Amino acid sequence: MVPVPNRIFIDLGPLRESRGFRLLFAGEFVEVFGSQLTAVAIPFQVYALTRSSLQVGLVSLAQLLPLIAGALIGGSLGDAFDRRRILLVASVLLALTSGGLAVNAAAAHPSLIALYLVSALAAALAGASSTASNAAVPGLVAPRHLVAAFASTQAVSQVGSVVGPALAGLLIDAVHLQWVYATTAVIYLLTALTAARMPAIPPSPDAGRPGLRAIAEGLRYLRGRQAMEGAYLIDINAMVFGMPRALFPALAVSVFHGGPRTLGYLYAAPAAGALIGALTTGWLERIHRQAWAVIVAVCVWGAAIVAFGLVHVLWIGLTLLALAGWADVLSAVLRSTILQTCTSEEYRSRVSAVQIAVVTGGPRLGDLEAGAVATLVSTGFSIVSGGVACIAGAALLATLLPGFRRYDRRHPVSQDEPEHQG
């Protein structure tokens, strides 16, 4: 057994050793700014037009089914075709959707329906792009570098997640929304140029033809593999119940008595904590019981959200959101490692598709849940009850899925046979 270096900070080995991974990394670094700009601009515009947290949750929900469909279709295509081409085409089309949002924002009376429709289309394209990007990682780095590679992608994602929302708040405050969307369009075009320089990422020789049958085969592949099922379900639990993102516009005004800048800080705070976590993930390589670490991290996330719902001082709230983000990125790195370690190459894109659907779809269900509970009861109750439910759900999943909680990286689950653990 090769000893793991005694390190704290992120391992940059994948970036040093793989040109293909460096290009993928660079593309994600550019793309994440575009996605984060729209992640703030769209809910801000919806709230400005409607003054309704429920509408903010609904516009996020409208993106859910297209996102899941885009991820699943992208997974089917990614196991059959060059993943680089999927990244290239999706980036160009995302630039066009951002251009459409810019045109709508420039209108004298922006259309709420257009916001729903265009953001739903963009979600579908983002699902396909993220699936291809995630599935490309194991083919670009050595197996020993998987934890470090996913930590690197999380780090670049969080850099954009910190700077993007704060920049969006500043831009919205300084210029018209149309220029925020126009900036996003340019960013996606730069992402496309980066993808064009990447080497080809061909599919597995054993991959089948894309289509509904291939998607169904990918879903059946997960059946009985508790380590993989648990990695998906515990994230859904955390994002549906413990993600109060839809309440940020209302909190910025009514609780923290601020405006667009305060809103940008609220969106950026979890990413700031996640960035710190991603840059100090060297110690994760020493963890063998990775699923237990995920369970603990989700509980820390839930506890931080409960505390956030009880405070009314901005800097304390931002600190708690940063703590939640720190815990979340640890969970994300380890979940990605578990899933990719347990997956055969011919199913890698389809497994990644389900992961992307969960990671990006879960928060949208969470937006609806948070907005609905806040409308029926109160904003504070929505946040606190969601954090409590997040912790309870993690404990329940640990009990019901022994194959998940017992996962050990030293003895990974077979890629060919599902688990039969009681």
Side-chain angles (χ1 to χ4, degrees), residues 285-330:
E285 297 183 14
R286 300 195 295 274
I287 294 179
H288 301 303
R289 300 294 295 274
Q290 294 176 330
W292 265 119
V294 170
I295 294 166
V296 172
V298 169
C299 289
V300 171
W301 164 279
I305 294 301
V306 170
F308 172 71
L310 299 173
V311 303
H312 295 81
V313 179
L314 180 60
W315 73 266
I316 297 177
L318 295 177
T319 301
L320 290 167
L321 288 176
L323 174 61
W326 173 82
D328 183 53
V329 80
L330 302 184

mmCIF file of all heavy atoms in Angstrom, residues 285-330:
data_model
loop_
_atom_site.group_PDB
_atom_site.id
_atom_site.type_symbol
_atom_site.label_atom_id
_atom_site.label_comp_id
_atom_site.label_asym_id
_atom_site.label_seq_id
_atom_site.Cartn_x
_atom_site.Cartn_y
_atom_site.Cartn_z
ATOM 1 N N GLU A 285 -7.554 12.663 1.454
ATOM 2 C CA GLU A 285 -6.966 11.464 0.859
ATOM 3 C C GLU A 285 -6.602 10.423 1.913
ATOM 4 O O GLU A 285 -6.345 9.270 1.578
ATOM 5 C CB GLU A 285 -5.741 11.852 0.027
ATOM 6 C CG GLU A 285 -6.080 12.765 -1.147
ATOM 7 C CD GLU A 285 -4.865 13.076 -2.003
ATOM 8 O OE1 GLU A 285 -3.845 12.393 -1.858
ATOM 9 O OE2 GLU A 285 -4.941 14.013 -2.811
ATOM 10 N N ARG A 286 -6.583 10.809 3.182
ATOM 11 C CA ARG A 286 -6.270 9.864 4.251
ATOM 12 C C ARG A 286 -7.520 9.207 4.829
ATOM 13 O O ARG A 286 -7.415 8.347 5.702
ATOM 14 C CB ARG A 286 -5.493 10.575 5.369
ATOM 15 C CG ARG A 286 -4.181 11.189 4.900
ATOM 16 C CD ARG A 286 -3.283 11.547 6.066
ATOM 17 N NE ARG A 286 -3.838 12.594 6.904
ATOM 18 C CZ ARG A 286 -3.688 13.906 6.668
ATOM 19 N NH1 ARG A 286 -3.017 14.304 5.582
ATOM 20 N NH2 ARG A 286 -4.195 14.805 7.468
ATOM 21 N N ILE A 287 -8.701 9.642 4.365
ATOM 22 C CA ILE A 287 -9.943 9.083 4.887
ATOM 23 C C ILE A 287 -10.306 7.827 4.098
ATOM 24 O O ILE A 287 -10.441 7.868 2.874
ATOM 25 C CB ILE A 287 -11.084 10.108 4.805
ATOM 26 C CG1 ILE A 287 -10.798 11.277 5.744
ATOM 27 C CG2 ILE A 287 -12.415 9.461 5.156
ATOM 28 C CD1 ILE A 287 -11.859 12.350 5.705
ATOM 29 N N HIS A 288 -10.488 6.722 4.802
ATOM 30 C CA HIS A 288 -10.883 5.466 4.152
ATOM 31 C C HIS A 288 -12.402 5.280 4.188
ATOM 32 O O HIS A 288 -12.996 4.846 3.205
ATOM 33 C CB HIS A 288 -10.193 4.286 4.822
ATOM 34 C CG HIS A 288 -8.695 4.363 4.792
ATOM 35 N ND1 HIS A 288 -7.983 4.483 3.616
ATOM 36 C CD2 HIS A 288 -7.773 4.342 5.789
ATOM 37 C CE1 HIS A 288 -6.687 4.529 3.880
ATOM 38 N NE2 HIS A 288 -6.535 4.449 5.191
ATOM 39 N N ARG A 289 -13.021 5.612 5.316
ATOM 40 C CA ARG A 289 -14.475 5.465 5.432
ATOM 41 C C ARG A 289 -15.122 6.753 4.910
ATOM 42 O O ARG A 289 -15.613 7.591 5.651
ATOM 43 C CB ARG A 289 -14.859 5.208 6.891
ATOM 44 C CG ARG A 289 -14.243 3.946 7.490
ATOM 45 C CD ARG A 289 -14.767 2.678 6.835
ATOM 46 N NE ARG A 289 -16.183 2.500 7.081
ATOM 47 C CZ ARG A 289 -16.681 1.909 8.174
ATOM 48 N NH1 ARG A 289 -15.845 1.435 9.094
ATOM 49 N NH2 ARG A 289 -17.972 1.778 8.339
ATOM 50 N N GLN A 290 -15.100 6.891 3.598
ATOM 51 C CA GLN A 290 -15.509 8.143 2.976
ATOM 52 C C GLN A 290 -16.997 8.434 3.155
ATOM 53 O O GLN A 290 -17.394 9.599 3.277
ATOM 54 C CB GLN A 290 -15.144 8.123 1.497
ATOM 55 C CG GLN A 290 -13.641 8.112 1.243
ATOM 56 C CD GLN A 290 -13.297 8.005 -0.230
ATOM 57 O OE1 GLN A 290 -14.036 7.424 -1.022
ATOM 58 N NE2 GLN A 290 -12.150 8.543 -0.613
ATOM 59 N N ALA A 291 -17.837 7.413 3.181
ATOM 60 C CA ALA A 291 -19.272 7.641 3.333
ATOM 61 C C ALA A 291 -19.600 8.210 4.709
ATOM 62 O O ALA A 291 -20.467 9.088 4.837
ATOM 63 C CB ALA A 291 -20.035 6.344 3.098
ATOM 64 N N TRP A 292 -18.913 7.727 5.739
ATOM 65 C CA TRP A 292 -19.143 8.283 7.074
ATOM 66 C C TRP A 292 -18.769 9.753 7.109
ATOM 67 O O TRP A 292 -19.431 10.577 7.757
ATOM 68 C CB TRP A 292 -18.356 7.507 8.130
ATOM 69 C CG TRP A 292 -19.139 6.433 8.810
ATOM 70 C CD1 TRP A 292 -18.893 5.101 8.814
ATOM 71 C CD2 TRP A 292 -20.341 6.606 9.594
ATOM 72 N NE1 TRP A 292 -19.860 4.417 9.530
ATOM 73 C CE2 TRP A 292 -20.751 5.322 10.016
ATOM 74 C CE3 TRP A 292 -21.103 7.710 9.959
ATOM 75 C CZ2 TRP A 292 -21.891 5.124 10.800
ATOM 76 C CZ3 TRP A 292 -22.253 7.514 10.742
ATOM 77 C CH2 TRP A 292 -22.625 6.246 11.155
ATOM 78 N N ALA A 293 -17.688 10.106 6.440
ATOM 79 C CA ALA A 293 -17.288 11.517 6.379
ATOM 80 C C ALA A 293 -18.359 12.348 5.680
ATOM 81 O O ALA A 293 -18.631 13.491 6.072
ATOM 82 C CB ALA A 293 -15.952 11.654 5.657
ATOM 83 N N VAL A 294 -18.998 11.790 4.644
ATOM 84 C CA VAL A 294 -20.085 12.490 3.959
ATOM 85 C C VAL A 294 -21.255 12.718 4.917
ATOM 86 O O VAL A 294 -21.835 13.809 4.976
ATOM 87 C CB VAL A 294 -20.546 11.687 2.727
ATOM 88 C CG1 VAL A 294 -21.835 12.283 2.144
ATOM 89 C CG2 VAL A 294 -19.458 11.669 1.659
ATOM 90 N N ILE A 295 -21.614 11.691 5.682
ATOM 91 C CA ILE A 295 -22.735 11.793 6.629
ATOM 92 C C ILE A 295 -22.477 12.892 7.654
ATOM 93 O O ILE A 295 -23.346 13.722 7.946
ATOM 94 C CB ILE A 295 -22.966 10.435 7.324
ATOM 95 C CG1 ILE A 295 -23.452 9.392 6.303
ATOM 96 C CG2 ILE A 295 -23.979 10.567 8.458
ATOM 97 C CD1 ILE A 295 -23.392 7.962 6.797
ATOM 98 N N VAL A 296 -21.264 12.909 8.211
ATOM 99 C CA VAL A 296 -20.923 13.938 9.198
ATOM 100 C C VAL A 296 -20.969 15.324 8.560
ATOM 101 O O VAL A 296 -21.482 16.281 9.154
ATOM 102 C CB VAL A 296 -19.532 13.655 9.801
ATOM 103 C CG1 VAL A 296 -19.079 14.825 10.679
ATOM 104 C CG2 VAL A 296 -19.555 12.365 10.621
ATOM 105 N N ALA A 297 -20.428 15.449 7.349
ATOM 106 C CA ALA A 297 -20.404 16.750 6.677
ATOM 107 C C ALA A 297 -21.814 17.274 6.438
ATOM 108 O O ALA A 297 -22.085 18.474 6.610
ATOM 109 C CB ALA A 297 -19.641 16.644 5.353
ATOM 110 N N VAL A 298 -22.744 16.403 6.040
ATOM 111 C CA VAL A 298 -24.128 16.825 5.801
ATOM 112 C C VAL A 298 -24.780 17.288 7.103
ATOM 113 O O VAL A 298 -25.542 18.258 7.124
ATOM 114 C CB VAL A 298 -24.928 15.687 5.139
ATOM 115 C CG1 VAL A 298 -26.426 16.007 5.129
ATOM 116 C CG2 VAL A 298 -24.438 15.458 3.719
ATOM 117 N N CYS A 299 -24.464 16.606 8.205
ATOM 118 C CA CYS A 299 -25.012 17.029 9.500
ATOM 119 C C CYS A 299 -24.458 18.396 9.916
ATOM 120 O O CYS A 299 -25.186 19.217 10.494
ATOM 121 C CB CYS A 299 -24.704 15.981 10.571
ATOM 122 S SG CYS A 299 -25.641 14.445 10.378
ATOM 123 N N VAL A 300 -23.185 18.649 9.635
ATOM 124 C CA VAL A 300 -22.607 19.963 9.929
ATOM 125 C C VAL A 300 -23.310 21.035 9.095
ATOM 126 O O VAL A 300 -23.629 22.127 9.583
ATOM 127 C CB VAL A 300 -21.089 19.967 9.664
ATOM 128 C CG1 VAL A 300 -20.518 21.385 9.764
ATOM 129 C CG2 VAL A 300 -20.372 19.046 10.654
ATOM 130 N N TRP A 301 -23.546 20.731 7.821
ATOM 131 C CA TRP A 301 -24.285 21.652 6.947
ATOM 132 C C TRP A 301 -25.638 21.991 7.570
ATOM 133 O O TRP A 301 -26.006 23.164 7.700
ATOM 134 C CB TRP A 301 -24.468 21.016 5.569
ATOM 135 C CG TRP A 301 -25.524 21.661 4.706
ATOM 136 C CD1 TRP A 301 -26.873 21.460 4.773
ATOM 137 C CD2 TRP A 301 -25.328 22.626 3.665
ATOM 138 N NE1 TRP A 301 -27.528 22.222 3.825
ATOM 139 C CE2 TRP A 301 -26.602 22.943 3.145
ATOM 140 C CE3 TRP A 301 -24.208 23.230 3.119
ATOM 141 C CZ2 TRP A 301 -26.780 23.842 2.106
ATOM 142 C CZ3 TRP A 301 -24.393 24.133 2.078
ATOM 143 C CH2 TRP A 301 -25.657 24.439 1.585
ATOM 144 N N GLY A 302 -26.405 20.960 7.957
ATOM 145 C CA GLY A 302 -27.736 21.177 8.517
ATOM 146 C C GLY A 302 -27.697 22.017 9.782
ATOM 147 O O GLY A 302 -28.535 22.909 9.976
ATOM 148 N N ALA A 303 -26.722 21.751 10.659
ATOM 149 C CA ALA A 303 -26.619 22.512 11.903
ATOM 150 C C ALA A 303 -26.300 23.980 11.629
ATOM 151 O O ALA A 303 -26.842 24.882 12.296
ATOM 152 C CB ALA A 303 -25.541 21.887 12.795
ATOM 153 N N ALA A 304 -25.444 24.247 10.660
ATOM 154 C CA ALA A 304 -25.106 25.626 10.321
ATOM 155 C C ALA A 304 -26.318 26.368 9.758
ATOM 156 O O ALA A 304 -26.528 27.553 10.049
ATOM 157 C CB ALA A 304 -23.964 25.650 9.310
ATOM 158 N N ILE A 305 -27.146 25.673 8.985
ATOM 159 C CA ILE A 305 -28.347 26.300 8.431
ATOM 160 C C ILE A 305 -29.361 26.603 9.532
ATOM 161 O O ILE A 305 -30.011 27.655 9.523
ATOM 162 C CB ILE A 305 -28.969 25.401 7.343
ATOM 163 C CG1 ILE A 305 -28.028 25.283 6.140
ATOM 164 C CG2 ILE A 305 -30.325 25.939 6.901
ATOM 165 C CD1 ILE A 305 -27.665 26.593 5.480
ATOM 166 N N VAL A 306 -29.499 25.699 10.495
ATOM 167 C CA VAL A 306 -30.388 25.961 11.633
ATOM 168 C C VAL A 306 -29.962 27.242 12.341
ATOM 169 O O VAL A 306 -30.783 28.125 12.633
ATOM 170 C CB VAL A 306 -30.379 24.775 12.619
ATOM 171 C CG1 VAL A 306 -31.092 25.156 13.914
ATOM 172 C CG2 VAL A 306 -31.052 23.552 12.008
ATOM 173 N N ALA A 307 -28.664 27.357 12.624
ATOM 174 C CA ALA A 307 -28.164 28.550 13.313
ATOM 175 C C ALA A 307 -28.362 29.802 12.463
ATOM 176 O O ALA A 307 -28.719 30.870 12.987
ATOM 177 C CB ALA A 307 -26.689 28.362 13.653
ATOM 178 N N PHE A 308 -28.168 29.684 11.149
ATOM 179 C CA PHE A 308 -28.360 30.829 10.247
ATOM 180 C C PHE A 308 -29.789 31.354 10.328
ATOM 181 O O PHE A 308 -30.029 32.571 10.282
ATOM 182 C CB PHE A 308 -28.025 30.413 8.817
ATOM 183 C CG PHE A 308 -28.376 31.443 7.771
ATOM 184 C CD1 PHE A 308 -27.651 32.623 7.674
ATOM 185 C CD2 PHE A 308 -29.431 31.236 6.890
ATOM 186 C CE1 PHE A 308 -27.971 33.582 6.720
ATOM 187 C CE2 PHE A 308 -29.756 32.172 5.933
ATOM 188 C CZ PHE A 308 -29.023 33.358 5.851
ATOM 189 N N GLY A 309 -30.737 30.456 10.453
ATOM 190 C CA GLY A 309 -32.129 30.868 10.524
ATOM 191 C C GLY A 309 -32.495 31.601 11.796
ATOM 192 O O GLY A 309 -33.584 32.186 11.878
ATOM 193 N N LEU A 310 -31.610 31.583 12.794
ATOM 194 C CA LEU A 310 -31.905 32.199 14.083
ATOM 195 C C LEU A 310 -31.222 33.539 14.297
ATOM 196 O O LEU A 310 -31.448 34.185 15.325
ATOM 197 C CB LEU A 310 -31.495 31.242 15.215
ATOM 198 C CG LEU A 310 -32.215 29.879 15.238
ATOM 199 C CD1 LEU A 310 -31.604 28.975 16.302
ATOM 200 C CD2 LEU A 310 -33.711 30.057 15.471
ATOM 201 N N VAL A 311 -30.358 33.940 13.351
ATOM 202 C CA VAL A 311 -29.588 35.171 13.560
ATOM 203 C C VAL A 311 -30.135 36.308 12.694
ATOM 204 O O VAL A 311 -30.780 36.070 11.672
ATOM 205 C CB VAL A 311 -28.088 34.954 13.258
ATOM 206 C CG1 VAL A 311 -27.523 33.824 14.108
ATOM 207 C CG2 VAL A 311 -27.862 34.670 11.771
ATOM 208 N N HIS A 312 -29.830 37.531 13.126
ATOM 209 C CA HIS A 312 -30.271 38.723 12.399
ATOM 210 C C HIS A 312 -29.127 39.705 12.173
ATOM 211 O O HIS A 312 -29.361 40.853 11.798
ATOM 212 C CB HIS A 312 -31.406 39.422 13.154
ATOM 213 C CG HIS A 312 -32.651 38.607 13.246
ATOM 214 N ND1 HIS A 312 -32.836 37.604 14.185
ATOM 215 C CD2 HIS A 312 -33.789 38.627 12.494
ATOM 216 C CE1 HIS A 312 -34.029 37.050 14.023
ATOM 217 N NE2 HIS A 312 -34.626 37.657 13.010
ATOM 218 N N VAL A 313 -27.918 39.269 12.415
ATOM 219 C CA VAL A 313 -26.731 40.082 12.190
ATOM 220 C C VAL A 313 -26.034 39.557 10.947
ATOM 221 O O VAL A 313 -25.712 38.357 10.873
ATOM 222 C CB VAL A 313 -25.781 40.032 13.404
ATOM 223 C CG1 VAL A 313 -24.532 40.873 13.143
ATOM 224 C CG2 VAL A 313 -26.504 40.506 14.660
ATOM 225 N N LEU A 314 -25.783 40.426 9.982
ATOM 226 C CA LEU A 314 -25.316 39.980 8.676
ATOM 227 C C LEU A 314 -24.013 39.203 8.752
ATOM 228 O O LEU A 314 -23.907 38.131 8.159
ATOM 229 C CB LEU A 314 -25.162 41.181 7.735
ATOM 230 C CG LEU A 314 -24.682 40.851 6.314
ATOM 231 C CD1 LEU A 314 -25.648 39.912 5.614
ATOM 232 C CD2 LEU A 314 -24.496 42.137 5.499
ATOM 233 N N TRP A 315 -23.006 39.721 9.465
ATOM 234 C CA TRP A 315 -21.703 39.055 9.443
ATOM 235 C C TRP A 315 -21.767 37.683 10.098
ATOM 236 O O TRP A 315 -21.061 36.754 9.678
ATOM 237 C CB TRP A 315 -20.626 39.933 10.081
ATOM 238 C CG TRP A 315 -20.683 40.068 11.580
ATOM 239 C CD1 TRP A 315 -21.287 41.039 12.300
ATOM 240 C CD2 TRP A 315 -20.076 39.173 12.526
ATOM 241 N NE1 TRP A 315 -21.124 40.837 13.645
ATOM 242 C CE2 TRP A 315 -20.375 39.693 13.817
ATOM 243 C CE3 TRP A 315 -19.336 38.007 12.433
ATOM 244 C CZ2 TRP A 315 -19.949 39.077 14.994
ATOM 245 C CZ3 TRP A 315 -18.900 37.383 13.605
ATOM 246 C CH2 TRP A 315 -19.209 37.918 14.867
ATOM 247 N N ILE A 316 -22.624 37.532 11.115
ATOM 248 C CA ILE A 316 -22.782 36.206 11.728
ATOM 249 C C ILE A 316 -23.465 35.254 10.744
ATOM 250 O O ILE A 316 -23.077 34.094 10.592
ATOM 251 C CB ILE A 316 -23.584 36.305 13.038
ATOM 252 C CG1 ILE A 316 -22.834 37.164 14.061
ATOM 253 C CG2 ILE A 316 -23.842 34.912 13.607
ATOM 254 C CD1 ILE A 316 -23.599 37.369 15.361
ATOM 255 N N GLY A 317 -24.493 35.758 10.076
ATOM 256 C CA GLY A 317 -25.169 34.935 9.088
ATOM 257 C C GLY A 317 -24.243 34.496 7.965
ATOM 258 O O GLY A 317 -24.268 33.339 7.533
ATOM 259 N N LEU A 318 -23.408 35.409 7.486
ATOM 260 C CA LEU A 318 -22.464 35.069 6.420
ATOM 261 C C LEU A 318 -21.452 34.034 6.900
ATOM 262 O O LEU A 318 -21.072 33.126 6.143
ATOM 263 C CB LEU A 318 -21.746 36.333 5.940
ATOM 264 C CG LEU A 318 -22.623 37.397 5.267
ATOM 265 C CD1 LEU A 318 -21.788 38.620 4.908
ATOM 266 C CD2 LEU A 318 -23.325 36.836 4.036
ATOM 267 N N THR A 319 -21.009 34.147 8.145
ATOM 268 C CA THR A 319 -20.069 33.169 8.697
ATOM 269 C C THR A 319 -20.689 31.779 8.754
ATOM 270 O O THR A 319 -20.052 30.776 8.414
ATOM 271 C CB THR A 319 -19.615 33.600 10.100
ATOM 272 O OG1 THR A 319 -18.989 34.886 10.027
ATOM 273 C CG2 THR A 319 -18.632 32.593 10.694
ATOM 274 N N LEU A 320 -21.950 31.708 9.174
ATOM 275 C CA LEU A 320 -22.631 30.415 9.246
ATOM 276 C C LEU A 320 -22.848 29.821 7.851
ATOM 277 O O LEU A 320 -22.712 28.607 7.657
ATOM 278 C CB LEU A 320 -23.969 30.577 9.977
ATOM 279 C CG LEU A 320 -23.845 30.853 11.477
ATOM 280 C CD1 LEU A 320 -25.178 31.301 12.049
ATOM 281 C CD2 LEU A 320 -23.340 29.600 12.215
ATOM 282 N N LEU A 321 -23.181 30.662 6.894
ATOM 283 C CA LEU A 321 -23.317 30.171 5.524
ATOM 284 C C LEU A 321 -21.978 29.665 4.992
ATOM 285 O O LEU A 321 -21.920 28.677 4.254
ATOM 286 C CB LEU A 321 -23.862 31.273 4.618
ATOM 287 C CG LEU A 321 -25.336 31.644 4.803
ATOM 288 C CD1 LEU A 321 -25.701 32.826 3.910
ATOM 289 C CD2 LEU A 321 -26.243 30.454 4.503
ATOM 290 N N ALA A 322 -20.887 30.341 5.352
ATOM 291 C CA ALA A 322 -19.561 29.888 4.942
ATOM 292 C C ALA A 322 -19.232 28.533 5.561
ATOM 293 O O ALA A 322 -18.661 27.658 4.900
ATOM 294 C CB ALA A 322 -18.508 30.924 5.331
ATOM 295 N N LEU A 323 -19.593 28.337 6.829
ATOM 296 C CA LEU A 323 -19.382 27.038 7.478
ATOM 297 C C LEU A 323 -20.166 25.951 6.760
ATOM 298 O O LEU A 323 -19.654 24.843 6.525
ATOM 299 C CB LEU A 323 -19.807 27.121 8.945
ATOM 300 C CG LEU A 323 -19.778 25.802 9.736
ATOM 301 C CD1 LEU A 323 -18.366 25.230 9.786
ATOM 302 C CD2 LEU A 323 -20.330 26.010 11.149
ATOM 303 N N ALA A 324 -21.406 26.257 6.391
ATOM 304 C CA ALA A 324 -22.219 25.290 5.643
ATOM 305 C C ALA A 324 -21.557 24.951 4.312
ATOM 306 O O ALA A 324 -21.499 23.782 3.911
ATOM 307 C CB ALA A 324 -23.620 25.853 5.418
ATOM 308 N N GLY A 325 -21.042 25.961 3.625
ATOM 309 C CA GLY A 325 -20.368 25.720 2.346
ATOM 310 C C GLY A 325 -19.114 24.874 2.513
ATOM 311 O O GLY A 325 -18.817 24.021 1.665
ATOM 312 N N TRP A 326 -18.354 25.102 3.593
ATOM 313 C CA TRP A 326 -17.159 24.298 3.870
ATOM 314 C C TRP A 326 -17.531 22.828 3.998
ATOM 315 O O TRP A 326 -16.884 21.949 3.410
ATOM 316 C CB TRP A 326 -16.504 24.798 5.151
ATOM 317 C CG TRP A 326 -15.362 23.947 5.638
ATOM 318 C CD1 TRP A 326 -14.074 23.977 5.203
ATOM 319 C CD2 TRP A 326 -15.424 22.945 6.659
ATOM 320 N NE1 TRP A 326 -13.314 23.046 5.883
ATOM 321 C CE2 TRP A 326 -14.118 22.401 6.787
ATOM 322 C CE3 TRP A 326 -16.448 22.457 7.465
ATOM 323 C CZ2 TRP A 326 -13.821 21.386 7.687
ATOM 324 C CZ3 TRP A 326 -16.161 21.439 8.375
ATOM 325 C CH2 TRP A 326 -14.861 20.921 8.490
ATOM 326 N N ALA A 327 -18.577 22.536 4.757
ATOM 327 C CA ALA A 327 -19.001 21.152 4.934
ATOM 328 C C ALA A 327 -19.507 20.553 3.628
ATOM 329 O O ALA A 327 -19.252 19.384 3.310
ATOM 330 C CB ALA A 327 -20.099 21.082 6.004
ATOM 331 N N ASP A 328 -20.211 21.363 2.852
ATOM 332 C CA ASP A 328 -20.787 20.862 1.607
ATOM 333 C C ASP A 328 -19.722 20.456 0.596
ATOM 334 O O ASP A 328 -19.868 19.452 -0.096
ATOM 335 C CB ASP A 328 -21.700 21.939 1.004
ATOM 336 C CG ASP A 328 -22.383 21.450 -0.264
ATOM 337 O OD1 ASP A 328 -23.012 20.389 -0.219
ATOM 338 O OD2 ASP A 328 -22.283 22.140 -1.288
ATOM 339 N N VAL A 329 -18.630 21.232 0.495
ATOM 340 C CA VAL A 329 -17.622 20.895 -0.506
ATOM 341 C C VAL A 329 -16.886 19.609 -0.124
ATOM 342 O O VAL A 329 -16.496 18.822 -0.998
ATOM 343 C CB VAL A 329 -16.632 22.058 -0.717
ATOM 344 C CG1 VAL A 329 -15.563 22.113 0.368
ATOM 345 C CG2 VAL A 329 -15.978 21.962 -2.088
ATOM 346 N N LEU A 330 -16.699 19.360 1.160
ATOM 347 C CA LEU A 330 -16.085 18.099 1.579
ATOM 348 C C LEU A 330 -16.973 16.930 1.164
ATOM 349 O O LEU A 330 -16.496 15.917 0.647
ATOM 350 C CB LEU A 330 -15.865 18.087 3.091
ATOM 351 C CG LEU A 330 -14.991 19.206 3.668
ATOM 352 C CD1 LEU A 330 -14.789 18.987 5.162
ATOM 353 C CD2 LEU A 330 -13.656 19.284 2.951
#
